[in-house]
Structure formats: structure tokens, C-alpha cells
Amino acid sequence: MQETRFVAGMPDRVPREARERRSPAAAAARPLPLLAAVATAFALAHLAVVAPGLGLGWDETVYVSQVSPQAPAAFFSAPRARGITYLVAPITSLTTSVPALRVYMAVLAGCGLFLALWVWRRLLPAPVLAVAGALFASLWVTMFYASQAMPNLWVAYGALAAVGCFLRAARDPGDHRALIGMGAGVAFAALMRPSDAVWLALPLIAAALFVPRTRRRGLLVVVTAAGVALGCAEWVVEAYLHYGGLAARLRRASEIQGHLGWYFAVDDHVRALGGRALCRPCDVPWRYPASALWFFALPLLVAGGVRAAVRARYRAPIVPATVVGVALAAPYLFTVGYAAPRFLLPAYALLALPVAQCLVRACAPRARWRRTTTGLVAVAVVVHLAIQYVLVDGVANRVRRDTADLTRIAAELRALGVRPPCVISGDEAVRVAFRTGCASRQPSGHDGSITPQALAATARHRPVAVLVSYGGRPPAYARQWRMHPLPDLGRRTGFRAYVAGAGPLALPTGSLATPG
């Protein structure tokens, strides 16, 4: 029995016996146990090291509030898409428990990693896929976001699955499931982040049109375009219903993201790898150079992987994965004027394949200097894992401290009588409001969903609180409201709450400024 290979766009039939002679270990390996072990270890490591005590972040709160009964939905800004809210809806409809959400999302993340790699089982050897999955999962960014209600990791899974299915469908006209999987992967990525799906689709369409001897060109283009259209449909419809049209929403999204244009943000992403979830503006000093060692090694390893793939006759799957990975990274490296490490997760997922090909080839039984290269790779992997653990532990601990601080603020506000139905505005309003069960409304900024006059009028019939950081001044409409300090906030400088409409019986009198 023969096995079909796809080399430089052309099917190449290679006898199975010849493949086994080239790499007995690869031939003996089976993808199911290897990939299942990697995915399971990923989910369990996150639940053991990262998830405990991890409260909802600011962006997470916005997404979860759209489908959670705990509090009114937070303002949903123009760049956001609702894909991740659909993903968390099954668990948020049953419970408001954050630990339950973490377990649910971590299990889904493990399953997603397995399925995205499983698509490639007919394209690359099992050891390469297992190493690629382990490398991607070991990044602190991947580990930190495994159970978070954030879309970037899921775009990575959709992109990885879509590219694998595209290559299978281009190789085998009878593989209808691969064609459906490609469309589903593109649509899934578009549902999570429409802009990322466009950058995913463009190189796939180009490959379908221009790679020699690609089969079913027209059908591949149509399915890819249909996947983008289907996944973006909800975002486009919402643009006309709530944002004044598609062009208006795109303009507003660009404004919120700092006006998209030409920026050289590579150095921003390098600094952000030191443990910053968001680096905006990214004018901070580069304090942890060791955290970016793997980032600087990535282009060399990718190039080595492409070269190794050509020599091992795996050029067809590795080269497209590399091209699509670079395409997904390009807009964040050169058009966005700030950095968040999660933005590059889709690129990292695809570039992990050529890196894995490079490492597996270097450590193969018949490789030159095998013992030396294997030893060097082992040392590098151990150092890499140690650095990634320190980083993810530091980021998780900061979020845990924030969680404790904000929970304490919410408890004090409830003690002041700020209880549903209520409204919270000001600094950290989104996260505090969700924990208190209140609506969050801002009279300015990206939200701008209420005027100062309307906020003051709301205080006549329901509790309203405005949070102001120490050193800041309250807005004019709240200067006569009762002030209550919110002390003992750990590393924070603290907040003051200006409260109105909560009723005199619910409010303590010791430290409040009575309105004139």
C-alpha cells in the first residue's frame, strides 16, 4: 500500500517501506497517544499552576458580561467580536463561578489543541506534531490564556486546523471532510476575530490560485471566502445595527486601536514578552532580555525547519504553514502601535511546525553530530521551560493580587448600599461593576454610553458610584456626592468612591462627605 505525499504542490507517491527505512522511529510513532498526551499535559499544567485564584481580567469581563446573568452587559466596543462569548455561554448560563469557567475553558483548550494538531496527522510525522504542540503550549502566553475568555488562542486553533485541512483538500480531491474542515476553521477564526481571519484567508487563496498543480482551485477559493463571510456575518450585521454601518465600525475600531497605520512594533512585542499582558504605550525599559531569547531564535529555527522539510520531502505542509504564520504576525508587528503577546498566538501556533521539524531533524538517529545537537537542544528546552514558568507565574500572581483588590472594593461598595440595580463609573468600573452586579457606564472615552447629566439623573432613583484614584479629581456632577475612601488595596494606591442614590440608611456616616 502506498501513501500519498504532496511535494511543492504535486502528489508524490512514496512506498511506506521506504519511509520506514528513512525514519523507523517516526514510522513507529502513532499520533493519537502522542497528541493526546501533549493536550492533556497542557490542560492539567494550566489548571495546576495558573488557574487557581485567577479572576476575570478587564477584557474577559467585557466578553463574559454579554452572556452572564451576574451583571448587565458591559459596553462592547467596535473592534470586538462575539465569538468568545458564544464559547463561554454554556457554562455562564449554568453558574457564575469563575473557577468553574476556568476548568471548562482549560478542558476546551486542551481539546482544541488536540483537534488542531490531529488535522495534520496525514501531512507530518507524529513526533513533529507532538513537539510542535509542546513548544506552542509551553509559551507563557499560551499557558496564561488557556482558560481565559479571550479570542486569540482560539483563532490560533482555527488557523492551524484551516491550513491543515486546506493542504489535505488540495492534495486529495476525495477528502470532502478536509474541505468542510477548512471552511469551518476559517469561519471559526472569523467569528473570534474577523481581522485575523482576513489575514488567514489571503495566503490560502493565493496558494489555491498560484501554486502549481493545486487541485480544485476554484472550490478552495470559494470555500475559503465563504468561511470568512460566514464567520464575519454577525460582526457585519451588528455594524449596521449599532455602529452606523461597516465603514463607520471599521473607522471606530481603528481609532480605539490607536489608528492603524505603519508602525514598527517588533521591539514593543519583544519588551512585552517580559511578562506584560498589554504594553500600551510600550515605552517601558527592556528589563528581562532572557524572556525574548526564543523570539530572536524563532526566525533561525523556522528557516532551519523549512530547509529540513525540503530535504525530508515535507516541503508542501511546512512552507504554507510558515507563510500563513508570517502573514498572521505581520499586521501586529507593522500596523498596530502597541503590543500584547496574545496577538501573535495564531502565528506562533503555525510557526511551531517548522521549528519542530528543525528540532526533530537535528535529533534524528542518522543526523550528523546527533549527540551534540541532542544535548544542546535538551539544555535549551530546559532553560526555555524554566523562563516560561517564571514569567507565567509572575503574570498570574499579578492578576491574583488584582482579583483580591477588586473583590475587596466590590465588597465595600455593597456595604455602602451599592447593590443591583446600580451603576458604577470611573476607574476600573468594568471589573468592579461586574463583581458588584452593577452596570458599568462611562460618560467619555471608548464607552461614552451615557452623558454626565444622564448619570446624575440616574442617581435620583438607583445607587450610582464613581470610582476615582487617589490623586484624581471627581467629575463635576459627583463633587457633592458622599465620598468614601477604599483603603487597604495592596500594591494599589487606592480609590475613593463618590456615591449617590444608595439611601441614607445603607451608608455609614464615619468617613463620608455629606453633600451641601
Side-chain angles (χ1 to χ4, degrees):
M1 183 177 179
Q2 291 182 326
E3 181 178 352
T4 303
R5 290 269 181 78
F6 194 62
V7 180
M10 302 175 60
D12 177 28
R13 296 193 174 274
V14 180
R16 184 179 298 274
E17 295 78 6
R19 181 186 178 187
E20 293 179 355
R21 284 195 299 270
R22 282 201 305 269
S23 180
R30 296 293 178 262
L32 179 60
L34 285 175
L35 300 185
V38 170
T40 302
F42 171 49
L44 293 178
H46 175 85
L47 289 173
V49 175
V50 181
L54 205 68
L56 295 178
W58 192 86
D59 290 294
E60 280 191 291
T61 303
V62 173
Y63 289 120
V64 172
S65 71
Q66 308 302 310
V67 290
S68 173
Q70 181 170 328
F75 174 74
F76 205 76
S77 63
R80 300 185 186 277
R82 297 188 181 271
I84 195 66
T85 64
Y86 303 144
L87 198 63
V88 303
I91 189 67
T92 57
S93 64
L94 298 176
T95 177
T96 58
S97 168
V98 174
L101 174 65
R102 295 296 181 214
V103 173
Y104 168 79
M105 293 298 289
V107 171
L108 284 185
C111 294
L113 180 62
F114 173 81
L115 292 175
L117 291 171
W118 182 251
V119 167
W120 290 77
R121 68 192 183 279
R122 299 178 184 175
L123 300 168
L124 291 170
V128 172
L129 296 179
V131 171
L135 289 173
F136 177 64
S138 68
L139 296 177
W140 77 260
V141 189
T142 312
M143 185 61 66
F144 179 68
Y145 286 101
S147 70
Q148 297 226 2
M150 296 290 283
N152 311 88
L153 180 62
W154 301 95
V155 175
Y157 291 158
L160 188 60
V163 175
C165 287
F166 173 88
L167 294 171
R168 288 174 51 179
R171 181 187 69 175
D172 184 1
D175 196 344
H176 302 295
R177 284 187 290 185
L179 193 65
I180 295 172
M182 182 193 70
V186 173
F188 182 76
L191 188 64
M192 293 292 166
R193 284 181 72 87
S195 58
D196 283 0
V198 172
W199 289 97
L200 166 64
L202 288 177
L204 293 182
I205 292 174
L209 292 176
F210 300 114
V211 172
R213 299 192 183 184
T214 299
R215 303 184 181 188
R216 300 191 294 183
R217 294 176 184 272
L219 190 56
L220 289 172
V221 172
V222 169
V223 172
T224 303
V228 174
L230 182 63
C232 293
E234 187 276 336
W235 198 84
V236 174
V237 170
E238 190 177 54
Y240 286 96
L241 292 178
H242 301 295
Y243 296 91
L246 181 58
R249 185 171 193 177
L250 290 171
R251 283 195 301 271
R252 183 58 178 153
S254 177
E255 291 172 5
I256 290 175
Q257 293 176 310
H259 294 283
L260 301 181
W262 169 251
Y263 299 97
F264 184 83
V266 177
D267 55 332
D268 293 345
H269 282 274
V270 169
R271 284 192 290 270
L273 286 175
R276 292 181 174 271
L278 180 65
C279 199
R280 183 181 187 181
C282 204
D283 52 3
V284 297
W286 187 29
R287 296 178 178 174
Y288 308 107
S291 65
L293 289 176
W294 69 270
F295 188 85
F296 291 117
L298 184 61
L300 299 177
L301 292 172
V302 168
V306 172
R307 182 174 182 274
V310 172
R311 297 183 64 182
R313 299 190 180 183
Y314 289 116
R315 174 183 174 183
I318 291 295
V319 172
T322 303
V323 172
V324 177
V326 171
L328 286 168
Y332 293 111
L333 294 176
F334 303 111
T335 68
V336 178
Y338 62 95
R342 65 180 184 273
F343 291 164
L344 297 182
L345 280 173
Y348 295 152
L350 284 159
L351 295 179
L353 293 172
V355 173
Q357 179 69 44
C358 177
L359 298 181
V360 171
R361 180 75 174 180
C363 300
R366 296 185 180 181
R368 182 180 297 181
W369 309 105
R370 174 177 175 268
R371 291 185 179 181
T372 302
T373 56
T374 301
L376 291 175
V377 168
V379 171
V381 167
V382 170
V383 173
H384 170 78
L385 291 177
I387 293 173
Q388 300 306 304
Y389 170 77
V390 170
L391 290 171
V392 75
D393 187 59
V395 176
N397 283 334
R398 287 199 299 273
V399 175
R400 293 185 186 109
R401 289 193 295 267
D402 285 350
T403 300
D405 292 347
L406 296 171
T407 301
R408 193 156 46 247
I409 292 174
E412 293 206 22
L413 288 175
R414 284 193 296 268
L416 292 173
V418 182
R419 298 169 185 166
C422 49
V423 177
I424 296 179
S425 185
D427 299 329
E428 286 289 357
V430 169
R431 291 198 282 180
V432 174
F434 186 76
R435 286 166 168 80
T436 316
C438 302
S440 61
R441 296 290 182 264
Q442 301 285 11
S444 61
H446 296 163
D447 186 338
S449 58
I450 193 170
T451 64
Q453 295 78 12
L455 197 59
T458 302
R460 298 170 188 165
H461 56 84
R462 67 178 57 183
V464 177
V466 177
L467 302 181
V468 179
S469 299
Y470 279 127
R473 291 175 57 84
Y477 61 84
R479 288 174 187 169
Q480 299 303 314
W481 293 2
R482 286 170 286 190
M483 186 276 290
H484 182 78
L486 299 171
D488 189 25
L489 299 178
R491 64 186 180 86
R492 293 178 177 273
T493 58
F495 289 100
R496 292 173 293 173
Y498 290 81
V499 183
L505 296 179
L507 289 167
T509 58
S511 58
L512 298 178
T514 305

